[in-house]
Amino acid sequence: MKTITVNVEHKTESSYDILIGVNILEQLNSLLDLSQYSQAAIITDTNIAKFHLQKLQKAIKIPTRSIILSPGESAKTIQSTEIIWKELADAKFDRKSVVINLGGGVIGDMGGFAASTYMRGIDFINIPTTILAQVDESVGGKTGIDFAGIKNLIGTFEQPSAVVIDTEIVKTLPDREFISGFAEIIKHGLIVSRDYYDLVTSKHPREFSEGELIEIIAGSCEIKRKIVEEDTKEKGHRKVLNFGHTIGHAIEALLLKTETPILHGEAISIGMVAEAKISQYKKYISEADVIAIEESLVNAGLPTAIESIDINGIKEKIKSDKKNVDGKTKWTLLDEVGIAVYDEEVSDALVTQALEFISNE
Ligand code: ADP
Ligand code: ZN
């Protein structure tokens, strides 16, 4: 088992451990000393419950109830949060109880939000069940729900008491979800470490052994921990994490309400190709680098282009990105494979060229 300790400084200083291993769910009670709590509530969704709830229930040796919600982003609402709060209140949860979030980003965000607001905040433990949640949301301390049509509009900054990553759990993920999570893993390599990039693109995501998967997930958590710890106020260096996300988010948002929505990692994969291309136009990386990046994403099973792209629609979305400063988009680009630069300005013409490049006409 691997342990990564995350030190956070937000309002008060605190730290928590990310535990990563195979079948460690079974040892949860002793690993986290759950006997310090009076009772526990597991928050999960119907898909995950089918595969993993029983095992978790068996592992916990204190009184436990389970709150099973419907899956998907559309369930990340104040109504679902109310269901959680109501269950906690009815079961007389007090400050000595704990919430255990067993799920992907949706459950992690919403369960964390419910716990961080119930009685002004009770402890919560995250057991991320998607690759994306394991490598992206284990570090950062953001909780939230969607509101008024806006993703994560309501939320808190609150750290979990612990994060437990059991690589056995992601085996039941559909291929598409599994591979989508690898987009963020590949991004971590591209922005800070050529070696890590080479490692994570050396095989198809599904072909890594259990041991290799632990290395990779720990590697990504460690990269994100370092970046976030160095930049707790989200002002500077943390922006390297936005690579692929300016165009990626725009594509994701544009396709959200269509008949062909794409997963977050898939959109980021396409965004990374476009933003690597912009990096090439600016003479930071070479054309051969862009081709190699594209190839590694294709080999991972990720998309690198889209059909009938609405270039103006994407540009509109980019302009309304909440990360813009004074209406200006600041870009994160690649200076080299393994080194990102941020706060870059890019002309409208280069953005158009890059969008044409990722268009599959
Ligand atoms: P993300 O972490 O990508 O935001 P979501 O919370 O939206 O993930 O979960 C993506 C989908 O995968 C949901 O339908 C969820 O129920 C399902 N899911 C999550 N984890 C697992 C798992 N380990 N096995 C099978 N399905 C899962
Ligand atoms: Zn992302």
Side-chain angles (χ1 to χ4, degrees):
M1 191 179 77
K2 281 185 177 281
T3 304
I4 294 172
T5 302
V6 184
N7 289 297
V8 276
E9 207 182 309
H10 183 78
K11 293 181 201 145
T12 53
E13 214 173 320
S14 64
S15 79
Y16 65 92
D17 285 345
I18 303 174
L19 309 174
I20 308 164
V22 192
N23 280 324
I24 56 173
L25 207 58
E26 290 163 11
Q27 309 151 37
L28 195 78
N29 212 73
S30 53
L31 277 178
L32 300 181
D33 185 20
L34 291 180
S35 63
Q36 64 185 299
Y37 298 111
S38 55
Q39 56 177 335
I42 302 171
I43 322 274
T44 192
D45 75 28
T46 48
N47 290 339
I48 303 154
K50 207 165 51 191
F51 297 112
H52 307 288
L53 182 58
Q54 249 189 343
K55 199 168 36 172
L56 179 59
Q57 283 169 330
K58 246 179 86 188
I60 302 174
K61 309 288 184 219
I62 55 173
T64 305
R65 62 184 47 243
S66 301
I67 306 171
I68 306 172
L69 304 163
S70 33
E73 188 73 30
S74 60
K76 216 171 108 179
T77 59
I78 189 71
Q79 286 80 13
S80 306
T81 310
E82 260 191 72
I83 293 174
I84 302 172
W85 283 330
K86 178 91 175 39
E87 285 264 352
L88 299 180
D90 286 350
K92 305 206 164 23
F93 269 56
D94 58 19
R95 304 192 51 84
K96 278 179 141 163
S97 2
V98 64
V99 165
I100 301 178
N101 300 313
L102 175 72
V106 171
I107 293 295
D109 281 358
M110 183 164 58
F113 175 64
S116 73
T117 46
Y118 181 79
M119 292 185 83
R120 299 195 174 89
I122 61 172
D123 281 3
F124 63 98
I125 292 162
N126 284 346
I127 306 178
T129 63
T130 64
I131 297 273
L132 182 67
Q134 292 180 344
V135 301
D136 207 34
E137 279 134 36
S138 295
V139 183
K142 291 178 182 172
T143 81
I145 52 168
D146 304 337
F147 193 72
I150 301 171
K151 257 183 121 169
N152 302 322
L153 185 67
I154 309 293
T156 58
F157 261 111
E158 205 66 60
Q159 311 299 330
S161 302
V163 176
V164 177
I165 298 180
D166 187 335
T167 49
E168 195 60 28
I169 291 185
V170 288
K171 283 199 178 149
T172 58
L173 265 183
D175 268 345
R176 200 174 157 194
E177 293 281 352
F178 191 96
I179 289 167
S180 167
F182 257 74
E184 297 283 356
I185 292 177
I186 295 172
K187 180 196 78 179
H188 287 144
L190 286 171
I191 59 173
V192 297
S193 165
R194 167 117 225 178
D195 287 347
Y196 183 69
Y197 168 72
D198 288 340
L199 168 76
V200 302
T201 55
S202 62
K203 284 185 199 169
H204 183 275
R206 281 288 197 190
E207 280 166 7
F208 288 110
S209 68
E210 201 93 57
E212 288 169 328
L213 201 56
I214 291 179
E215 281 302 312
I216 289 172
I217 289 165
S220 265
C221 289
E222 183 59 22
I223 286 172
K224 191 155 181 207
R225 178 197 68 77
K226 259 200 183 139
I227 294 171
V228 171
E229 276 182 17
E230 278 166 16
D231 184 14
T232 43
K233 298 245 155 51
E234 216 165 324
K235 292 236 163 81
H237 188 61
R238 192 175 180 151
K239 291 180 189 165
V240 294
L241 291 163
N242 295 341
F243 179 63
H245 280 63
T246 304
I247 289 176
H249 267 156
I251 293 173
E252 189 181 11
L254 208 64
L255 295 182
L256 193 67
K257 296 262 147 45
T258 68
E259 275 172 13
T260 51
I262 58 176
L263 299 177
H264 177 70
E266 294 170 339
I268 295 323
S269 173
I270 302 169
M272 288 196 288
V273 174
E275 294 174 23
K277 201 67 191 167
I278 294 175
S279 310
Q280 179 209 322
Y281 296 144
K282 293 190 66 121
K283 308 213 170 5
Y284 296 167
I285 61 174
S286 68
E287 188 177 11
D289 287 333
V290 178
I291 293 170
I293 291 169
E294 228 184 328
E295 244 172 43
S296 63
L297 293 167
V298 170
N299 289 341
L302 285 160
T304 53
I306 43 172
E307 301 287 336
S308 44
I309 188 173
D310 171 6
I311 291 187
N312 287 328
I314 292 181
K315 281 186 173 171
E316 279 309 308
K317 287 282 180 202
I318 293 174
K319 282 201 190 100
S320 61
D321 194 321
K322 62 175 187 275
K323 291 193 291 293
N324 293 351
V325 187
D326 299 332
K328 269 205 173 140
T329 306
K330 300 287 187 181
W331 295 77
T332 296
L333 300 173
L334 294 183
D335 196 22
E336 277 176 37
V337 173
I339 302 178
V341 283
Y342 57 90
D343 283 345
E344 292 280 316
E345 297 201 1
V346 176
S347 72
D348 199 53
L350 288 191
V351 176
T352 308
Q353 250 178 286
L355 292 175
E356 280 164 357
F357 182 77
I358 53 162
S359 137
N360 232 349
E361 296 298 348

